[in-house]
Amino acid sequence: MSEPVILVEKSGAIATVTLNRPGAMNALSRDLRLAIAETFEALEADADIRVAILTGAGKAFCAGLDLKELGSDKGGVNATVGDKDPVTSIGRFSGPVIGAINGVAITGGFELALACDVLVCSENARFADTHARVGILPGWGLSQKLSRAIGIYRAKELSLTGNFLSAQQAEDWGMINRVVTAEELLPVARKLADDMLSVVPECLPAYKKLIDDGFAESFGEGLKTERKVSTAANKAVTPDAIAERRAGIQSRGKEQTG
């Protein structure tokens, strides 16, 4: 019996999703693309799961589309058009998705990483956009997200050369949140997930959506969106609720600065 191409481990409100084609550097075969999409659809439908961690088995996070499979497909790259889009499905998960990038994230794998809300990388992580070297153009958002993450000039350097970006350089450029050792990667990701789960429950998906919606707009329109959404949401917050949470906020602040 063959191994499943994706593994899901649930612990409380956290789901750890592991791409599981280590022998192929977790390359995105048709089966794996479908499995990612269906997995995140299932997690969104699971009321118990509020945060997801996405990582890869073996030495790679994801080497991108399976070029060997595509090369034998008469439809070529366009044969993927009718597939479920894994990046869109990740984006439809209403809770935070923490990318635990354990190794190379190349092209389609780079796009999977950029679909996450927070990126924690091991020192072994590296990123590359090789679309132009394969002779194709991205369709899962990389051409737009990367320039917004690191600036248009740096994005053009990466995408128009196909050169690799180290984890440390990615952190220096502000593309990822932090670099940790390989041993620390999943524990740090889980600690972040626990921190997120400790906020007021309804705020977690609502605040993520507010950030994402505003980011997709101009700055002026984003401010209008914030005012509209917060005015409606904050009406439900009572002074008693704020008073009850005040002591916990003060205690946590002392613990983090002490």
Side-chain angles (χ1 to χ4, degrees):
M1 191 174 189
S2 60
E3 283 283 313
V5 295
I6 201 163
L7 304 174
V8 180
E9 177 188 351
K10 296 180 181 180
S11 177
I14 304 169
T16 301
V17 179
T18 303
L19 309 181
N20 192 40
R21 297 186 70 213
M25 297 178 66
N26 300 317
L28 294 166
S29 64
R30 187 183 297 272
D31 287 346
L32 181 53
R33 296 195 300 273
L34 180 61
I36 294 168
E38 292 184 342
T39 293
F40 276 90
E41 288 171 3
L43 293 178
E44 177 62 14
D46 187 340
D48 293 331
I49 299 300
R50 297 172 51 219
V51 181
I53 297 170
L54 180 63
T55 193
K59 295 182 178 180
F61 173 69
C62 177
L65 286 175
D66 190 326
L67 299 181
K68 182 178 180 181
E69 182 182 78
L70 286 179
S72 63
D73 194 320
K74 292 182 180 179
V77 175
N78 285 333
T80 68
V81 172
D83 291 352
K84 286 190 176 183
D85 174 356
V87 168
T88 298
S89 296
I90 291 171
R92 287 176 179 159
F93 180 70
S94 55
V97 179
I98 300 170
I101 313 302
N102 55 299
V104 293
I106 303 171
T107 313
F110 199 168
E111 300 202 77
L112 279 188
L114 292 177
C116 299
D117 299 294
V118 172
L119 291 175
V120 181
C121 295
S122 86
E123 55 208 352
N124 301 320
R126 292 194 300 158
F127 301 86
D129 176 12
T130 62
H131 280 97
R133 291 193 173 274
V134 176
I136 60 175
L137 296 176
W140 291 342
L142 190 149
S143 68
Q144 304 305 305
K145 291 179 182 178
L146 187 58
S147 61
R148 287 163 172 77
I150 62 174
I152 193 168
Y153 299 105
R154 287 169 172 167
K156 286 179 178 177
E157 176 186 337
L158 288 181
S159 296
L160 300 182
T161 63
N163 290 342
F164 274 89
L165 180 71
S166 69
Q168 187 58 59
Q169 188 67 63
E171 183 182 34
D172 292 344
W173 284 4
M175 194 188 82
I176 66 171
N177 294 75
R178 68 194 70 180
V179 181
V180 299
T181 65
E183 293 75 20
E184 294 174 311
L185 182 62
L186 284 177
V188 167
R190 291 179 183 127
K191 176 62 168 60
L192 277 173
D194 285 335
D195 286 345
M196 292 173 179
L197 290 171
S198 71
V199 307
V200 177
E202 59 267 26
C203 273
L204 194 61
Y207 209 157
K208 171 185 166 175
K209 185 176 188 303
L210 179 57
I211 294 170
D212 286 343
D213 288 351
F215 193 72
E217 300 172 332
S218 68
F219 181 68
E221 290 302 312
L223 290 176
K224 292 177 184 177
T225 294
E226 182 192 73
R227 177 63 61 89
K228 177 182 176 181
V229 172
S230 67
T231 298
N234 293 346
K235 287 179 180 178
V237 182
T238 66
D240 286 346
I242 293 174
E244 288 175 6
R245 295 162 187 159
R246 179 170 174 267
I249 294 169
Q250 290 177 327
S251 175
R252 190 167 188 273
K254 291 176 181 177
E255 290 174 2
Q256 290 195 320
T257 58

Short mmCIF file of all heavy atoms in Angstrom, two decimals, residues 30 33 65 69-84:
data_model
loop_
_atom_site.label_atom_id
_atom_site.label_comp_id
_atom_site.label_asym_id
_atom_site.label_seq_id
_atom_site.Cartn_x
_atom_site.Cartn_y
_atom_site.Cartn_z
N ARG A 30 -0.26 15.92 -9.66
CA ARG A 30 -1.70 16.18 -9.70
C ARG A 30 -2.37 15.67 -8.41
O ARG A 30 -3.23 16.35 -7.85
CB ARG A 30 -2.31 15.48 -10.92
CG ARG A 30 -3.79 15.81 -11.14
CD ARG A 30 -4.34 15.03 -12.32
NE ARG A 30 -3.67 15.39 -13.56
CZ ARG A 30 -4.06 16.40 -14.34
NH1 ARG A 30 -5.08 17.16 -14.00
NH2 ARG A 30 -3.41 16.65 -15.47
N ARG A 33 -1.53 18.10 -5.51
CA ARG A 33 -2.28 19.36 -5.63
C ARG A 33 -3.72 19.18 -5.17
O ARG A 33 -4.26 20.01 -4.43
CB ARG A 33 -2.25 19.87 -7.08
CG ARG A 33 -0.87 20.24 -7.59
CD ARG A 33 -0.93 21.05 -8.87
NE ARG A 33 -1.58 20.38 -9.97
CZ ARG A 33 -0.97 19.56 -10.84
NH1 ARG A 33 0.31 19.27 -10.67
NH2 ARG A 33 -1.63 19.02 -11.85
N LEU A 65 5.89 22.36 -9.17
CA LEU A 65 5.14 21.41 -9.99
C LEU A 65 6.03 20.24 -10.40
O LEU A 65 7.23 20.41 -10.64
CB LEU A 65 4.61 22.10 -11.25
CG LEU A 65 3.42 23.05 -11.06
CD1 LEU A 65 3.10 23.74 -12.37
CD2 LEU A 65 2.20 22.30 -10.55
N GLU A 69 6.04 14.69 -14.38
CA GLU A 69 4.65 14.38 -14.70
C GLU A 69 4.12 15.30 -15.79
O GLU A 69 3.46 14.85 -16.72
CB GLU A 69 3.80 14.51 -13.43
CG GLU A 69 2.33 14.17 -13.63
CD GLU A 69 1.51 14.37 -12.36
OE1 GLU A 69 1.18 15.53 -12.05
OE2 GLU A 69 1.21 13.36 -11.70
N LEU A 70 4.43 16.60 -15.67
CA LEU A 70 3.95 17.54 -16.68
C LEU A 70 4.53 17.25 -18.06
O LEU A 70 3.87 17.41 -19.08
CB LEU A 70 4.31 18.98 -16.28
CG LEU A 70 3.49 19.60 -15.15
CD1 LEU A 70 4.00 21.00 -14.88
CD2 LEU A 70 2.01 19.63 -15.49
N GLY A 71 5.80 16.82 -18.07
CA GLY A 71 6.44 16.52 -19.34
C GLY A 71 5.84 15.34 -20.07
O GLY A 71 5.99 15.22 -21.30
N SER A 72 5.14 14.48 -19.35
CA SER A 72 4.51 13.32 -19.98
C SER A 72 3.02 13.53 -20.22
O SER A 72 2.34 12.65 -20.74
CB SER A 72 4.70 12.08 -19.10
OG SER A 72 4.06 12.25 -17.85
N ASP A 73 2.53 14.72 -19.84
CA ASP A 73 1.11 15.02 -20.00
C ASP A 73 0.90 15.77 -21.31
O ASP A 73 1.51 16.82 -21.53
CB ASP A 73 0.63 15.88 -18.82
CG ASP A 73 -0.88 15.95 -18.73
OD1 ASP A 73 -1.53 16.05 -19.79
OD2 ASP A 73 -1.41 15.93 -17.60
N LYS A 74 0.06 15.23 -22.18
CA LYS A 74 -0.16 15.86 -23.49
C LYS A 74 -0.73 17.27 -23.36
O LYS A 74 -0.58 18.09 -24.27
CB LYS A 74 -1.07 14.98 -24.34
CG LYS A 74 -0.44 13.65 -24.75
CD LYS A 74 -1.37 12.83 -25.63
CE LYS A 74 -0.71 11.51 -26.04
NZ LYS A 74 -1.60 10.67 -26.88
N GLY A 75 -1.40 17.53 -22.26
CA GLY A 75 -1.96 18.86 -22.06
C GLY A 75 -0.95 19.87 -21.58
O GLY A 75 -1.22 21.06 -21.54
N GLY A 76 0.26 19.38 -21.21
CA GLY A 76 1.30 20.27 -20.72
C GLY A 76 0.86 21.01 -19.47
O GLY A 76 0.08 20.52 -18.67
N VAL A 77 1.39 22.20 -19.29
CA VAL A 77 1.08 22.99 -18.11
C VAL A 77 -0.41 23.30 -18.03
O VAL A 77 -1.01 23.33 -16.95
CB VAL A 77 1.90 24.30 -18.10
CG1 VAL A 77 1.49 25.18 -16.93
CG2 VAL A 77 3.39 23.98 -18.03
N ASN A 78 -1.04 23.53 -19.17
CA ASN A 78 -2.46 23.86 -19.16
C ASN A 78 -3.33 22.70 -18.72
O ASN A 78 -4.53 22.88 -18.47
CB ASN A 78 -2.90 24.36 -20.54
CG ASN A 78 -2.43 25.77 -20.81
OD1 ASN A 78 -2.23 26.54 -19.88
ND2 ASN A 78 -2.23 26.09 -22.07
N ALA A 79 -2.74 21.51 -18.59
CA ALA A 79 -3.51 20.38 -18.07
C ALA A 79 -3.86 20.58 -16.60
O ALA A 79 -4.72 19.91 -16.06
CB ALA A 79 -2.72 19.09 -18.24
N THR A 80 -3.17 21.54 -15.93
CA THR A 80 -3.44 21.80 -14.52
C THR A 80 -4.58 22.79 -14.33
O THR A 80 -5.03 23.00 -13.22
CB THR A 80 -2.19 22.38 -13.82
OG1 THR A 80 -1.93 23.70 -14.34
CG2 THR A 80 -0.99 21.49 -14.04
N VAL A 81 -5.07 23.41 -15.40
CA VAL A 81 -6.05 24.47 -15.27
C VAL A 81 -7.33 23.98 -14.63
O VAL A 81 -7.95 24.66 -13.82
CB VAL A 81 -6.35 25.10 -16.65
CG1 VAL A 81 -7.52 26.07 -16.56
CG2 VAL A 81 -5.11 25.83 -17.16
N GLY A 82 -7.75 22.75 -14.96
CA GLY A 82 -8.99 22.23 -14.41
C GLY A 82 -8.84 21.67 -13.01
O GLY A 82 -9.84 21.30 -12.38
N ASP A 83 -7.63 21.60 -12.50
CA ASP A 83 -7.41 21.06 -11.16
C ASP A 83 -7.90 22.04 -10.10
O ASP A 83 -8.00 23.24 -10.33
CB ASP A 83 -5.91 20.83 -10.92
CG ASP A 83 -5.36 19.70 -11.76
OD1 ASP A 83 -6.16 19.01 -12.41
OD2 ASP A 83 -4.13 19.52 -11.76
N LYS A 84 -8.15 21.50 -8.90
CA LYS A 84 -8.39 22.39 -7.77
C LYS A 84 -7.07 23.10 -7.46
O LYS A 84 -6.01 22.49 -7.48
CB LYS A 84 -8.86 21.58 -6.57
CG LYS A 84 -10.30 21.10 -6.69
CD LYS A 84 -10.80 20.52 -5.37
CE LYS A 84 -12.26 20.14 -5.48
NZ LYS A 84 -12.79 19.64 -4.19
#
